[in-house]
Amino acid sequence: MNRIKRVALEKLTNELTEKTSPSEKLIFEWLGKQKDIALYQGILTPEKSFKKAYQYAYSQATQFQVGGCAIIDDELVYLWIAHYFKQPVTVVTNDFAKEMIQKNKTKKEGLRNRRISIR
């Protein structure tokens, strides 16, 4: 096993607890089967954690929910986990966060004001 992969999996193992859910265990097992060194390098980023990756995937899944329910394919969840670990860490300042919130509000207002005619 590659040294980077071994150290990354050790980091994740240290994060797992007795209260780890079955879905978290499946994600951990999937991570252990991967051969992507960039993925393992991302796992070793100090600011990143298994818990944050899981929260990221959860936040992505909530965008698909309808009536409080979402059915998500395992492979999509794995892609979200890999995406989280492979993306560079961004530092969000208050000004940047405010700017993003304002842009999002503007987009939503534009969509609300748009009328669609179906004939």
Side-chain angles (χ1 to χ4, degrees), residues 87-100:
Q87 293 304 305
V89 176
T90 55
V91 178
V92 179
T93 63
N94 284 336
D95 292 337
F96 178 76
K98 288 176 188 175
E99 182 181 329
M100 291 294 105

Side-chain angles (χ1 to χ4, degrees), residues 23-101:
S23 59
E24 290 171 318
K25 289 177 184 176
L26 286 172
I27 293 168
F28 177 78
E29 289 171 11
W30 177 83
L31 286 167
K33 295 175 185 174
Q34 301 313 298
K35 296 177 181 172
D36 186 354
I37 296 302
L39 173 64
Y40 295 116
Q41 288 171 330
I43 290 170
L44 291 173
T45 304
E47 297 85 3
K48 300 206 176 201
S49 69
F50 186 83
K51 182 178 180 178
K52 289 178 184 177
Y54 191 80
Q55 289 171 338
Y56 174 76
Y58 180 86
S59 71
Q60 295 299 307
T62 59
Q63 295 176 26
F64 288 89
Q65 72 177 339
V66 176
C69 180
I71 298 173
I72 308 294
D73 185 63
D74 294 353
E75 290 300 316
L76 184 55
V77 174
Y78 298 145
L79 285 173
W80 289 332
I81 295 294
H83 180 262
Y84 168 81
F85 281 120
K86 289 173 144 183
Q87 293 304 305
V89 176
T90 55
V91 178
V92 179
T93 63
N94 284 336
D95 292 337
F96 178 76
K98 288 176 188 175
E99 182 181 329
M100 291 294 105
I101 290 169

